[in-house]
Structures are given as C-alpha cells and as structure tokens.
Amino acid sequence: MAERGFDIRRQTGFTTIAMACFFMLYMPIILLVVYSFNAGSSIAIWEGFSWRWYVSAWDNEQVQEATVRSLIIAVCAAGISTTVAVLAALATTRTRKFKGQSVVFAMINQPLMVPEIVTAVALLIFFAMIKVATGYTGLLYLIMAHSAFCIPFAYLPIRARLQGMDLSLEQAAADLYATPYQVFRRITLPQLWPGILAGAMLAFVISLDDVVITEFVKSAGQDTLPTYMLGQLRRVVTPEINAISTVLLAISVTLVIAFTILSKRKT
Amino acid sequence: MAGQAISQDKAAARRRWLLLVPALTILIFAASGPLLITLVYSFLAPGDFGGVEWEFSTDAWFNVILQRDIFEDTLGWSDAHLSIFWRSVKLSLMTTLVCLILGFPTAYFIATRPKSQRELWMLLIIIPFWTNLLIRTFAILELIRNEGTVNTVLIGLGVIDEPIQMLFTEFAIIIGMVYVYLPLMVLPIYASMERLNFSLVEAGYDLYATRFQVLRRVILPLVKPGVIAGSILVFVPSLGAYVTPRVMGGGNQLMIGNLIELQFGQGRNWPLGAALSITLLAIVMVALILYVRAVGDDEVRHG
C-alpha cells in the first residue's frame, strides 16, 4: 500500500523541468514583444515606452508592400488549398478503399514529409524553367507553391471532422432521393463548416509564416514579410523588426486560439 | 441487381477521382512534379551561369561525397561536404536528445495535471509551435547575441567583463533548434501519455518499485511510441533546417540545407544542389521508414 499523501504521479524533478521549459518557450517571445515598445534603438537596453517602431514599420514602404503581398498570397493560398482539400477529404472519407489510395495519401502529405529546403529548390528549378519559357514572373508561382504546401494542413482537420460525423443523416437524405450534390450542400456542408474554417485558418497561418519556400520561389522584388525580415537580419537590427514580429505573432496566436475552439465545437 | 451495383460502383469511383483532381493537379504541379524534375536535374551537367546543360552526367552524384583534385587529378573524399553532413547529423541528434530530456518531463507534467487544466497547458505548448519559425529564431538570436540580453545582464551583474561569444557557434544552432522544435517532441509524447493507465503505475508502487523503477520499467515502455514519434518529428526537420543555422550559425556553421542553397546561389552548380537535395530526402525517408517499423512493431506487441 502506498502511504497516505503519496502522489503516485509525481516524478522527482519533472515539475521543475516542465516549468523551465515553459519559461524557456515564452521568455524570448516576451522579451521580443517588450522591446518592440522600446523608445531607444537598442534591442537589449530599455529606454522607456514608445510606439515609434510600430509607426516606423507602418510608414516603411517596403513593409507596406510586403504586408499586402503576404496577405494576398495567404488569402489565395488558404482559399485554394481549403477548397481542394474539402473535395479531396470527401473523396477519401465517403468511399471505400480504392486502388491508388496510398499514392493519393502520400501525395497529399508530401509537403509534410519532404524537408522544406528540398521542396524549395525543387520549386526553384521547376518554376525557373517555366519562367524562361513563358516570361511570366508574377505572384502566381508563389500562390501555387503556397497552395500546395497548405493542402495537408487544410486537409487534416477537415478529414478529421468528416470522419467524426454521423453518417446516418447523409444516408437518410440519400434514401429520400437527394442527389449527391444536395446531400453535400444541405447535410454535409453545414456540419463541416467548423472543420473548413479551422483548415482555412491553419492554411492561412502556414502561408503567412513561410519563409524558406518563398525565399526560393519569389522573383526579384517580391518580398513577403518573413523574407523581408530575413533580409533585414543581415543589417543593423532595430526594434522595427520586433514590431513587425509582434504583429505577426498576434495574428498567429489569435488564429490558433480560434482554431482550437473551432475544432472542439461539436456542431 | 448485380449489374446495377457494379455501375453504381463505377459512378462512385468516377466521382471520387473527379473530387481528387483539383488537389492532385496542384500537388503534381507544385510538389511531386518539381521533385521528379529535381531528380532528373541531378543527372545533368551544370550550366555556366546556373541552370543545367541537357547532357547526361553523374558528376553531381560523385561530387556529393567525392572530389577531384584539379592539380593531381586524383579522387578523394570531399571533406567540406562530409564535414557538413556530419555536423548536420550530429547537431540534429543532439537537438533531438535535448528536446527529449526537456520534453518528456514536460509532457509527463501536463498529462498528470487535472483534466480541466490540461487543455490550457497544451495550448501553451501549441502557441509557440504555430508562431513563425523566423520570429522564434530571431527571439533567441536577440537573447544570445554579443549585445543581447544574456550578455547585457551578465555584464550588468559583474559576472563577466567581456560578452561571451555564443552566436555563430554550434551551441547557438542547437539552442535555436531546440527552441524551435521542442513542441514537436512534447505533442506526441503527451498524446501517448494521456492514454497511459495510471493504475499500472500504482501497481508498480504497490509492488515496492521505486519512482525511478516505475518510470523505467512501467511508464517508458508504455509511452515508447510517443517518444519515437517525437524524436522523429524533431530529428527530421532539424536535419533539413535552413533558417536556424543560417541565422544562428552564420557562414561557418553550415548544415545540409545551407549547403544546398549555396549550390543554387554562389556555387552555380544546380545538379550538385539537386543531388544533395535528393540525398537529404533519402536520409529523411530512411528515418521515416525506421520510425514506421519501430512504431508498427510496438503496436503489435502491446496489442
């Protein structure tokens, strides 16, 4: 018998290490946020509170352009990847096992398994060929690339939701002579919405944060916020980068919390 | 009846493939296709200003680990490449180990909280995970650079007189990668720890096992799939890391990812870059296959 008050779950030192982990995870981020409000231009010496770096980021034309570009790409990529992911998820959850299923799964999950740098240079090679052949150097390459690697992130929560859904409603509708489209539009889609929104948010965050693939695929003058920041790191760093980071951080945190709530919601 | 069933099956199959077409088109165009072209490129000759000459050549593959001495025309090991490969594997293994040492107790801590608290602790792990990798790397950079927080505080306290050079070392890369990939270790370990039946732990104590014995003989074997999954999830992206070594390691501490980039940038040797990419991919695939085997076997044993 264990003695009274003996907590069988406790392991010596584990709580200390866990607390150290949480401290380690958050301290650098918190410092980053704090120094984005520094009045001075140092990122280590506090000189009082000021919004000046947010103002200077806001007035910086390169930052403005990069922000607009980042948002265009992320919205397009999230929209495209979520749409095709819904279709793909329907195809892979609502039918029996089929020939080529494992190939389809491998292709959908490829962006998760192949190291990002490998995907990046593969896209560099392929798009360089197309750029030479067509002369087109617009944003479509980046949108295509982002859509592709966002697909698994949109697909997974949507498929999870489809698998968790009760099939009897859809079967009842089909028994009542609803066409497959009607079943989808009237029965499946309303139940699937939280999954779709969750998938779209993940895709949006993933696209907004990508730096490696964008760095390799972008044509000249097509910086997004992350590639702009990466470029700035080579020069003198001012808290302006902290300010941009803080804004991006706030967007990610908001979307992730929304995602968590959405993927828990039952209907 | 049978004929009708078959034609229904065919209609379902047709619909399934129609639904898959949009996703597969994008993936072929911007994922699988480019990867195949990379493989083709690795067997071509380099062009003068980047790009390739369309003639078959296995030089790139030779150059991955061998090099020809231009003066004596002899073949030798490519020390530069081998040392970068070795550094990548070494730093990735060390990152995985440190993540395991920190991540296992953290996952255990969360799994042993009351149910109502667990979601909050998990959210605290997930938030950094979804925070831009560049931002997190940058946050660590600010901490350990010469004029950074750590050195400023230590000098302020009079512990040291001169800033400690931490940036641009292997230590900095490990710190950076641990920081960035730690959540990937905690998440799967927590997932398998959450299902752990603590009455088995209790049974262990009742049979006079010490805490350490219970940990080693009861808990560890049961959460092994999570530990393996976490280790793979940390090891694989560490091996292909590009941003962290570039920011934290500077020009002297390259890893495979940076070596690949060099071939497409200054090196202007695209076939070599392609061959290095395929090599990295092959190493990652081997690790993934080993993982599937290890976890697969384990599931069989524990039913």
Side-chain angles (χ1 to χ4, degrees):
Chain A
M1 272 291 281
E3 59 192 282
R4 194 205 289 267
F6 175 91
D7 182 0
I8 58 155
R9 296 175 156 223
R10 225 178 65 83
Q11 285 286 342
T12 317
F14 274 25
T15 305
T16 318
I17 297 180
M19 287 304 124
C21 267
F22 286 110
F23 179 73
M24 195 188 114
L25 280 178
Y26 282 90
M27 197 225 350
I29 302 180
I30 291 170
L31 278 175
L32 178 105
V33 173
V34 167
Y35 277 98
S36 72
F37 295 105
N38 193 4
S41 50
S42 160
I43 45 174
I45 302 155
W46 181 252
E47 290 174 36
F49 179 91
S50 144
W51 287 99
R52 83 179 250 219
W53 298 110
Y54 287 87
V55 175
S56 103
W58 182 260
D59 290 337
N60 185 332
E61 246 171 64
Q62 278 175 296
V63 175
Q64 286 171 2
E65 280 171 22
T67 308
V68 172
R69 207 171 284 120
S70 279
L71 288 175
I72 292 174
I73 295 167
V75 167
C76 292
I80 294 171
S81 61
T82 311
T83 311
V84 303
V86 169
L87 302 179
L90 283 171
T92 49
T93 53
R94 286 296 179 266
T95 46
R96 270 174 285 165
K97 259 193 146 180
F98 57 96
K99 231 191 193 168
Q101 192 171 9
S102 53
V103 177
V104 169
F105 280 138
M107 280 180 69
I108 290 175
N109 289 315
Q110 186 197 319
L112 295 181
M113 294 186 295
V114 175
E116 217 181 349
I117 183 77
V118 175
T119 308
V121 299
L123 289 169
L124 169 73
I125 291 175
F126 184 52
F127 289 158
M129 289 166 72
I130 302 181
K131 279 177 192 175
V132 169
T134 62
Y136 174 75
T137 51
L139 277 185
L140 269 182
Y141 298 107
L142 281 171
I143 293 173
M144 276 301 282
H146 281 231
S147 301
F149 70 72
C150 286
I151 286 176
F153 293 97
Y155 173 80
L156 291 174
I158 294 170
R159 194 188 65 162
R161 182 133 190 122
L162 273 173
Q163 279 172 338
M165 265 162 49
D166 188 0
L167 270 180
S168 54
L169 282 174
E170 287 168 54
Q171 281 160 351
D175 281 348
L176 295 166
Y177 296 101
T179 62
Y181 175 74
Q182 283 173 325
V183 174
F184 174 72
R185 179 71 192 77
R186 302 284 173 130
I187 311 291
T188 316
L189 193 60
Q191 294 184 75
L192 192 56
W193 261 123
I196 295 176
L197 267 181
M201 281 178 188
L202 272 195
F204 184 82
V205 171
I206 294 288
S207 166
L208 201 62
D209 283 356
D210 177 74
V211 54
V212 179
I213 289 170
T214 312
E215 177 82 3
F216 282 79
V217 170
K218 75 181 165 78
S219 307
Q222 285 184 342
D223 269 318
T224 59
L225 274 181
T227 63
Y228 170 78
M229 287 165 58
L230 188 64
Q232 289 298 303
L233 286 188
R234 278 179 236 154
R235 304 185 196 142
V236 180
V237 187
T238 61
E240 191 178 299
I241 298 283
N242 296 37
I244 301 170
S245 301
T246 304
V247 174
L248 278 177
L249 192 72
I251 297 174
S252 300
V253 170
T254 314
L255 287 180
V256 168
I257 292 174
F259 169 81
T260 314
I261 294 167
L262 269 178
S263 44
K264 292 243 164 52
R265 219 168 70 182
K266 285 288 174 281
T267 2
Chain B
M1 281 301 273
Q4 202 189 347
I6 290 172
S7 75
Q8 266 179 6
D9 268 8
K10 274 193 179 161
R14 206 168 35 235
R15 198 157 57 230
R16 172 171 57 227
W17 285 106
L18 260 174
L19 289 173
L20 284 172
V21 159
L24 294 185
T25 308
I26 293 177
L27 288 164
I28 289 171
F29 191 71
S32 311
L35 207 56
L36 284 178
I37 292 174
T38 308
L39 183 63
V40 173
Y41 261 48
S42 70
F43 287 103
L44 297 174
D48 290 335
F49 306 100
V52 285
E53 300 290 338
W54 284 89
E55 52 190 73
F56 180 78
S57 158
T58 49
D59 280 2
W61 283 99
F62 270 109
N63 283 333
V64 170
I65 52 168
L66 296 172
Q67 66 179 7
R68 195 178 292 279
D69 191 307
I70 24 175
F71 298 111
E72 295 171 21
D73 203 33
T74 48
L75 268 182
W77 297 113
S78 170
D79 295 333
H81 293 179
L82 285 176
S83 75
I84 289 172
F85 273 105
W86 166 237
R87 180 184 299 124
S88 302
V89 172
K90 183 180 70 179
L91 296 186
S92 303
L93 284 176
M94 288 175 76
T95 302
T96 310
L97 187 69
V98 177
C99 280
L100 187 61
I101 292 169
L102 294 172
F104 187 89
T106 306
Y108 187 90
F109 168 81
I110 300 173
T112 52
R113 287 311 94 192
K115 222 174 175 148
S116 54
Q117 283 182 25
R118 279 185 228 162
E119 269 181 22
L120 186 67
W121 288 110
M122 277 320 282
L123 193 64
L124 285 178
I125 294 286
I126 291 167
I127 286 174
F129 176 53
W130 286 117
T131 302
N132 192 332
L133 177 132
L134 183 66
I135 294 178
R136 283 184 289 158
T137 309
F138 175 58
I140 283 283
L141 169 79
E142 290 195 356
L143 210 61
I144 68 170
R145 59 200 290 155
N146 282 0
E147 316 81 41
T149 318
V150 170
N151 277 320
T152 310
V153 169
L154 287 180
I155 290 174
L157 291 174
V159 179
I160 50 172
D161 298 323
E162 298 252 311
I164 306 169
Q165 173 69 38
M166 290 177 279
L167 205 59
F168 308 136
T169 62
E170 293 189 349
F171 167 78
I173 299 179
I174 294 178
I175 292 277
M177 293 206 298
V178 167
Y179 183 61
V180 168
Y181 299 127
L182 183 62
L184 288 171
M185 181 65 86
V186 178
L187 293 171
I189 298 182
Y190 171 74
S192 56
M193 201 99 70
E194 203 193 11
R195 290 193 302 248
L196 184 71
N197 184 352
F198 273 92
S199 55
L200 293 171
V201 174
E202 202 172 348
Y205 286 128
D206 284 348
L207 295 167
Y208 297 102
T210 63
R211 283 189 192 283
F212 182 70
Q213 282 171 325
V214 167
L215 184 66
R216 212 177 70 81
R217 309 285 289 270
V218 181
I219 298 173
L220 258 182
L222 287 173
V223 298
K224 200 175 122 200
V227 171
I228 296 174
S231 304
I232 285 289
L233 282 179
V234 172
F235 181 74
V236 165
S238 303
L239 202 59
Y242 165 75
V243 171
T244 314
R246 175 167 156 185
V247 174
M248 309 295 278
N252 300 322
Q253 309 291 336
L254 302 182
M255 284 178 58
I256 302 177
N258 313 101
L259 179 61
I260 292 172
E261 199 247 319
L262 266 184
Q263 303 311 321
F264 285 90
Q266 298 163 8
R268 297 214 185 285
N269 191 340
W270 286 27
L272 177 57
L276 287 166
S277 304
I278 303 290
T279 308
L280 173 61
L281 183 61
I283 301 174
V284 165
M285 287 302 143
V286 169
L288 286 175
I289 289 167
L290 287 177
Y291 158 65
V292 171
R293 287 239 179 111
V295 172
D297 284 358
D298 228 69
E299 270 168 3
V300 173
R301 236 183 288 134
H302 290 288

